[in-house]
Amino acid sequence: MESSSDEPRGDEAPPGDEAPARTRAWARGSNHVGMRQFNERVVLQAIRVQGSCSKAEIARRTHLTAQTVQQIIGRLEADGLVLKQGRVRGRVGQPSVPMALNPDGAYAIGLTIGRRNAEVLLVDFCAKVRRRLNVEYAFPDPQTLFARIEEMVSSLLEDLGPAQSQLLCGIGVAAPLSLEAWQGLLGFESQARAWQAIDIRARIEQMFGMPVRFIKDTSAACVAELVVGRGHDTRDFLYLFMDTFIGGGLVLNNQLHVGLHGNAGAVGSLPVRLALPGQRERPEQLLGVASLHQLQAAYREAGLEPLAWRDQRALAAPWREHTLRWMDSAAFAIALAIHNVSCLLDIDHVIMDGCFSADLRDALLQRLPQAMDAYDWQGVVRPRIHAGAVGADARALGAALLPLYAEFMPSPELFLKALR
């Protein structure tokens, strides 16, 4: 989504004299002495990847001299971005003092706007969630929702207090690229048109006067898995996220690949069957077969609690029979999507996560190998399937990582872990 030319962009600073005190906090990194220097960001990334490490280990991983690392660590420690850990005694030489990121060194807010709910997270410098707020709805009415978002974000800022608010890097927003699309499946097609003229990023930026970075919701979830989840040790993978509609993200060479229009990995739009000559209806897309929307509708039609997919009830009577029926069709459709992506990209791994319960996710993953057996894998490597490690927070957490990485990591576009 692009803002008009007279709107401030997410990577530009609003005029300092016009911003209230709390909204100038995001400029901390750009004004901080030396923080723009690449080597300092490389050192922070090395510590983030390792968890904690000694200065000698940092020098080895970054290929910087011991003297340079010593100076950088001194500055980062003075600025409250890293902390000394307890001494570690080795067999030879002086005991080492590992350095770790200071959780209170910086903060970011992650916001996800979905078709059924919105969530706001306060995230610290170590990517840990400090507080979460959410609101659910049948349909995201823009006027009502933006007012509620303002309340939730303002509440998080008040909790931070004046001093810690100065350490806020900004807000990351995750949402479908076309929030108005596919609302016909949910029964809100006419109301959804209101979103067509709304620039979500610009609206949030205007609301709070600080940089806002926007990303597709499933790409944001993929970022979270890449940085703090299973993707940390996986070079290339297709990421699948199960929500109201299934979606995905793509990581190639340890880097989030967003594509020309920011929509790479949009597996939900893949067709699940061939179009035939003379056929009046177009083939269904994956999201019309393998999304939680269909499972929820099945529960509702049977007179059952429709949100049972969130917990253990989904695999217990009387929900179980409906869950298994949905799971069969979803598994075969997802297996087809995985097969097609594997043929095109030659990936070794697929990671699946979502808003549903871990038990339901794992049951679906156990069903996938049998479904994948139904397709011909000759001439293509069959990828391994893994459960995601982040869960329902993935989209908002990934959004929050955007301003953190833009402020402190070697490149705001990378989301990589190349320091091995």
Side-chain angles (χ1 to χ4, degrees):
M1 297 184 180
E2 297 291 334
S3 60
S4 58
S5 59
D6 59 343
E7 290 282 347
R9 292 177 55 86
D11 54 359
E12 296 177 350
D17 293 339
E18 299 173 7
R22 78 179 189 195
T23 65
R24 292 197 294 270
W26 61 267
R28 176 178 180 274
S30 58
N31 295 332
H32 165 279
V33 177
M35 182 49 69
R36 290 295 185 188
Q37 296 180 10
F38 182 78
N39 285 347
E40 294 193 8
R41 292 176 171 231
V42 167
V43 168
L44 284 172
Q45 180 73 333
I47 298 173
R48 182 179 294 278
V49 170
Q50 184 65 20
S52 65
C53 48
S54 67
K55 297 172 187 175
E57 178 68 8
I58 294 170
R60 186 186 70 79
R61 287 174 175 270
T62 61
H63 305 290
L64 298 172
T65 67
Q67 182 179 7
T68 297
V69 170
Q70 177 78 18
Q71 293 171 348
I72 290 175
I73 289 295
R75 291 196 295 267
L76 296 178
E77 189 176 8
D79 286 321
L81 295 174
V82 298
L83 296 171
K84 290 180 180 178
Q85 305 296 289
R87 290 180 177 270
V88 176
R89 297 187 177 276
R91 296 180 180 178
V92 180
Q94 297 295 320
S96 63
V97 180
M99 304 300 299
L101 298 182
N102 178 6
D104 295 314
Y107 302 93
I109 289 175
L111 163 65
T112 181
I113 298 176
R115 291 183 168 85
R116 293 296 197 189
N117 74 301
E119 184 175 38
V120 179
L121 301 182
L122 176 64
V123 176
D124 66 24
F125 197 37
C126 293
K128 300 297 183 184
V129 178
R130 292 296 187 91
R131 190 185 173 199
R132 63 168 51 81
L133 295 170
N134 66 81
V135 58
E136 296 188 0
Y137 38 75
F139 169 76
D141 173 68
Q143 183 174 354
T144 303
L145 180 55
F146 280 116
R148 187 71 181 95
I149 287 172
E150 184 170 18
E151 292 176 3
M152 292 191 294
V153 173
S154 297
S155 176
L156 296 187
L157 293 174
E158 290 174 7
D159 284 352
L160 272 179
Q164 288 179 306
S165 290
Q166 294 298 312
L167 307 180
L168 189 68
C169 297
I171 300 174
V173 177
L177 291 185
S178 301
L179 194 56
E180 72 278 2
W182 298 292
Q183 289 291 353
L185 291 176
L186 303 178
F188 297 101
E189 189 168 12
S190 60
Q191 299 97 314
R193 298 192 186 103
W195 286 97
Q196 292 178 340
I198 294 176
D199 184 333
I200 296 175
R201 186 204 60 78
R203 186 79 171 262
I204 301 298
E205 189 172 70
Q206 184 181 26
M207 194 179 293
F208 294 102
M210 66 178 72
V212 172
R213 295 176 181 271
F214 182 91
I215 189 172
K216 183 180 72 168
D217 55 348
T218 51
S219 291
C222 186
V223 165
E225 190 67 43
L226 173 61
V227 175
V228 301
R230 210 180 261 276
H232 190 82
D233 298 312
T234 308
R235 184 181 179 89
D236 305 280
F237 63 90
L238 171 68
Y239 180 78
L240 302 175
F241 192 82
M242 185 72 70
D243 193 17
T244 302
F245 295 140
I246 189 173
L250 183 62
V251 169
L252 300 175
N253 194 28
N254 291 117
Q255 184 172 344
L256 177 70
H257 182 72
V258 297
L260 180 62
H261 303 289
N263 207 26
V267 294
S269 296
L270 287 172
V272 294
R273 60 180 173 84
L274 289 175
L276 300 175
Q279 178 179 290
R280 300 185 64 179
E281 293 185 359
R282 292 173 176 169
E284 282 188 294
Q285 295 180 323
L286 179 65
L287 60 78
V289 178
S291 299
L292 291 176
H293 164 64
Q294 290 88 33
L295 182 57
Q296 185 168 320
Y299 291 162
R300 184 180 290 109
E301 187 175 344
L304 302 172
E305 164 56 47
L307 298 180
W309 47 264
R310 292 178 173 176
D311 52 52
Q312 297 88 344
R313 290 175 296 172
L315 295 173
W319 290 270
R320 181 178 175 82
E321 62 176 296
H322 305 285
T323 301
L324 294 180
R325 191 178 303 117
W326 168 83
M327 195 182 302
D328 279 341
S329 59
F332 279 93
I334 292 170
L336 176 59
I338 292 173
H339 185 281
N340 290 338
V341 172
S342 299
C343 291
L344 182 64
L345 297 175
D346 191 25
I347 55 173
D348 283 333
H349 302 276
V350 175
I351 299 176
M352 175 182 282
D353 214 337
C355 293
F356 50 3
S357 70
D359 289 341
L360 180 53
R361 179 201 61 200
D362 293 344
L364 179 57
L365 289 175
Q366 291 172 10
R367 185 73 180 87
L368 268 179
Q370 182 182 350
M372 292 171 70
D373 289 341
Y375 299 98
D376 190 346
W377 290 89
Q378 292 185 90
V380 61
V381 176
R382 178 168 168 165
R384 285 167 283 182
I385 313 296
H386 312 277
V390 183
D393 282 343
R395 295 165 301 174
L397 178 58
L401 288 170
L402 295 179
L404 281 176
Y405 264 63
E407 185 94 359
F408 295 108
M409 294 302 115
S411 168
E413 307 301 330
L414 288 184
F415 298 103
L416 57 79
K417 284 80 58 195
L419 301 172
R420 300 291 183 189

